[in-house]
Amino acid sequence: AIASFGVEKAIAPLWTEIMSPELQRHYPYAWAALFAAWTVALAASLGALFIGEIMGQYPCELCWFQRVFMFPLAIILGIAAFRSDRGVTPYALTLAGAGWVVSFYHALLYFGFAPEKIQPCGSGPSCSDSAMTLFGSVPIPLLSLSAFTAITFFLALVFRRTRSCIDVLELY
């Protein structure tokens, strides 16, 4: 999936300088997946700041919780991608998973699948307001859910590749 987006060709010169030859041989896509996870987290964080600060759409209570999980991911994954540190995967997966749960619940609220008596959006902006869409058609809760899903997917690839790489390196 990563190669189809051309990410591998764009960042191949970077990861060949950072990673050792043994890891490059047994671990070809993990760094690209880690870099892709960081890119998604950074874009989501900058997008949330743009929507709130530039467009003036103030976040609801659930959006704040999602930011609590997304903003650290942008920092942690950026450092991990720069250092080629796959050990961050369990911690980042925990943050991404918790953010995914909150964003999934937020999407359920937005689309009307959650009962009204458990909706926490009593104070501040409403989740069901038309201002909760980007470009008039894309709901912001769905964007958040998509970002956490993509990050979790990329981190799962890193985790899978890391486990197989560790198994191979233990043979040496």
Side-chain angles (χ1 to χ4, degrees):
I2 295 171
S4 65
F5 292 112
V7 173
E8 181 185 348
K9 290 180 182 179
I11 60 177
L14 293 173
W15 74 271
T16 54
E17 292 178 18
I18 294 172
M19 295 177 70
S20 67
E22 295 86 22
L23 287 179
Q24 287 178 24
R25 188 177 60 218
H26 297 291
Y27 198 67
Y29 297 108
W31 190 83
L34 187 60
F35 184 81
W38 171 66
T39 304
V40 172
L42 182 65
S45 297
L46 293 176
L49 290 172
F50 177 79
I51 290 168
E53 301 300 322
I54 306 298
M55 295 178 65
Q57 294 181 2
Y58 298 104
C60 71
E61 198 171 314
L62 288 173
C63 287
W64 280 114
F65 284 115
Q66 291 168 60
R67 288 178 178 203
V68 165
F69 295 113
M70 184 62 74
F71 289 175
L73 278 173
I75 296 168
I76 291 169
L77 292 174
I79 293 169
F82 177 72
R83 296 184 65 210
S84 190
D85 182 7
R86 281 97 34 214
V88 74
T89 307
Y91 312 113
L93 269 173
T94 303
L95 281 172
W100 186 89
V101 168
V102 173
S103 64
F104 181 71
Y105 177 66
H106 196 188
L108 288 176
L109 286 176
Y110 182 83
F111 292 113
F113 291 115
E116 291 201 21
K117 54 186 160 193
I118 62 171
Q119 291 186 5
C121 296
S123 63
S126 172
C127 290
S128 60
D129 191 11
S130 63
M132 291 295 285
T133 60
L134 191 61
F135 307 120
S137 62
V138 182
I140 293 173
L142 192 58
L143 287 173
S144 178
L145 181 63
S146 300
F148 279 115
T149 301
I151 292 168
T152 303
F153 171 75
F154 287 128
L155 288 174
L157 287 178
V158 173
F159 187 73
R160 192 180 104 215
R161 297 288 181 177
T162 301
R163 298 300 299 164
S164 62
C165 179
I166 289 171
D167 295 341
V168 168
L169 290 179
E170 286 177 354
L171 298 175
Y172 290 107

